[in-house]
Amino acid sequence: MHERAIETIGEPLPESATISPPIIQRAEVVAFCLVALLVLSVVAVLYVARAFFLPVVTAVILGTMLSPAAKRLEAFKVPRPVSAALIVVLTWAAFVLMIGLISVPVMDWFGKLPELGPILKDKLHVFDRPLAIWHQLQALLGTPDTAEPSFQLPKVAWVQPTIEFLSPTFTEILLFFAVLVLFIASWPDLRRGLVMNFPNHESRLRMLRILNAIETNLGGYLLTVTLINAGLGIATGLACAFTHMPNPAGLGGLAATLNFIPIIGPILMFAILLCVGLVAMPTLTGALIAPLAFAVIAFTEGHFITPTIIGRRLSLNALAVFLALAFWTWLWGPMGAFLSSPLLIVGLIVKEHMMPERDQQLPND
């Protein structure tokens, strides 16, 4: 027995029946690196050539949203090119009307900027004492600060660069409207070409379902959000009129327009109402009524009305919405913020059809 045990010491052990942990192969690493480089290259191209891609992508997204309206006009025997031109003209008219409603108070306030400085300093003198305490605390902590303990207004040197950044060039506007009209007019042919480009019946059917879902969801999203924002603008205008704010119609129109930009729009509108209230109202308490009323309206709309209506159509994760907003705003500015939710909806629709969810149970703890 002892000799037999000694002989088996040098023999190889049989293969174990246990499953070895997965090992990352070199091909997987190379594939991951290539995908990462592709994503970085696409982002870099979209950023560098944003003067071309931004109007084109905006026209395609907006054209997809407005395609159901063109289809309805076709049911009344209106030719597709005529319906496309009519829809674009009506959209431009609504945009010009909104700009005209907003531009009057904005230009009026910009003209009064030199006079607003002393008024704001007088209204915000209550913050002198907290600022003085803050400066004293910085001095105790060893941080030198020679600033005077008084409220200082921010400089307005950012106004002109901001306007230049927000204002598209004539070429971009012309490219946007040309692509928008041509896209709406030729969308049925484009959709047919995209579907027939696939070789087999299953792939064609999947592509058709994706295009139909994108068109239906984006069209419903635009109509629903427009109605919700119009209601929010009316409620804001009524609140401003009730609190005796100047030009309540313009403030309501501005609230409706800014609410198309998620998260950033309501915050910016609250800051605008606060500044207008500080200038127009005689007391600080009176200046806070309209901004607080808007905060309640925006909170109700953002947390109850919009999720209830849009959530039935397509649920959007709050973190995904915020990350998409941050990314597209960094990439394309304010128009990127407007496009963030529609692009996220398109991505979710493509993901749902290309990678359908399966009913899988999570393992027990």
Side-chain angles (χ1 to χ4, degrees):
M1 288 291 294
H2 183 67
E3 294 178 357
R4 179 60 181 168
I6 295 175
E7 292 176 0
T8 58
I9 292 177
E11 295 180 1
L13 295 176
E15 295 183 0
S16 176
T18 58
I19 300 176
S20 59
I23 301 175
I24 300 177
Q25 302 294 329
R26 180 185 298 178
E28 297 177 358
V29 177
V30 172
F32 176 80
C33 294
L34 290 177
V35 171
L37 289 175
L38 176 62
V39 172
L40 292 176
S41 301
V42 170
V43 172
V45 170
L46 292 177
Y47 181 80
V48 173
R50 59 185 177 273
F52 170 79
F53 285 106
L54 178 56
V56 171
V57 173
T58 305
V60 170
I61 293 295
L62 191 59
T64 307
M65 291 178 174
L66 298 175
S67 290
K71 186 184 297 184
R72 291 181 180 274
L73 290 177
E74 278 187 312
F76 293 97
K77 306 301 181 180
V78 179
R80 188 80 181 193
V82 176
S83 62
L86 182 61
I87 290 173
V88 172
V89 169
L90 293 177
T91 304
W92 174 251
F95 178 74
V96 170
L97 178 63
M98 187 63 65
I99 293 297
L101 187 64
I102 296 173
S103 61
V104 175
V106 170
M107 297 303 296
D108 185 37
W109 285 107
F110 270 109
K112 294 181 179 179
L113 276 179
E115 305 174 5
L116 299 182
I119 298 176
L120 285 178
K121 286 185 178 181
D122 183 64
K123 294 288 182 62
L124 298 176
H125 67 86
V126 293
F127 294 101
D128 288 346
R129 183 58 182 169
L131 287 175
I133 296 175
W134 171 253
H135 293 312
Q136 293 176 3
L137 180 61
Q138 285 183 324
L140 291 176
L141 294 176
T143 304
D145 192 355
T146 58
E148 297 180 359
S150 60
F151 185 83
Q152 299 292 331
L153 288 175
K155 297 181 179 180
V156 294
W158 51 270
V159 173
Q160 184 175 356
T162 303
I163 294 177
E164 293 176 355
F165 176 75
L166 295 178
S167 302
T169 63
F170 176 77
T171 305
E172 294 176 0
I173 295 176
L174 183 62
L175 178 62
F176 165 76
F177 280 104
V179 175
L180 181 60
V181 173
L182 294 176
F183 181 85
I184 296 177
S186 61
W187 171 238
D189 297 332
L190 290 174
R191 183 172 60 179
R192 188 180 301 109
L194 288 173
V195 172
M196 298 304 296
N197 189 42
F198 290 89
N200 53 64
H201 177 74
E202 183 180 356
S203 300
R204 292 176 180 176
L205 184 60
R206 182 188 297 113
M207 188 63 188
L208 182 61
R209 289 173 178 171
I210 291 175
L211 294 177
N212 288 338
I214 290 175
E215 183 177 347
T216 302
N217 283 279
L218 287 185
Y221 173 83
L222 178 63
L223 178 61
T224 305
V225 169
T226 301
L227 294 177
I228 291 175
N229 292 347
L232 181 136
I234 293 173
T236 304
L238 292 176
C240 292
F242 181 76
T243 55
H244 304 288
M245 293 279 284
N247 201 342
L251 292 175
L254 184 60
T257 304
L258 291 178
N259 206 54
F260 279 99
I261 302 177
I263 302 175
I264 298 177
I267 295 176
L268 183 59
M269 188 63 206
F270 178 83
I272 292 174
L273 287 175
L274 181 61
C275 293
V276 173
L278 289 174
V279 174
M281 297 293 105
T283 62
L284 182 61
T285 304
L288 294 175
I289 297 178
L292 292 179
F294 171 77
V296 173
I297 295 172
F299 181 83
T300 304
E301 176 269 327
H303 290 80
F304 297 100
I305 299 177
T306 300
T308 302
I309 299 176
I310 296 183
R312 296 174 183 174
R313 188 181 304 272
L314 187 65
S315 58
L316 298 178
N317 183 270
L319 179 60
V321 171
F322 178 77
L323 292 178
L325 174 67
F327 173 77
W328 290 108
T329 304
W330 166 78
L331 192 68
W332 284 344
M335 285 306 302
F338 169 74
L339 295 173
S340 60
S341 293
L343 290 174
L344 180 61
I345 291 175
V346 173
L348 290 177
I349 292 173
V350 173
K351 180 257 180 186
E352 289 178 359
H353 285 80
M354 299 300 295
M355 296 180 293
E357 296 181 358
R358 299 177 181 178
D359 295 334
Q360 297 179 349
Q361 298 294 333
L362 295 175
N364 297 326
D365 294 336

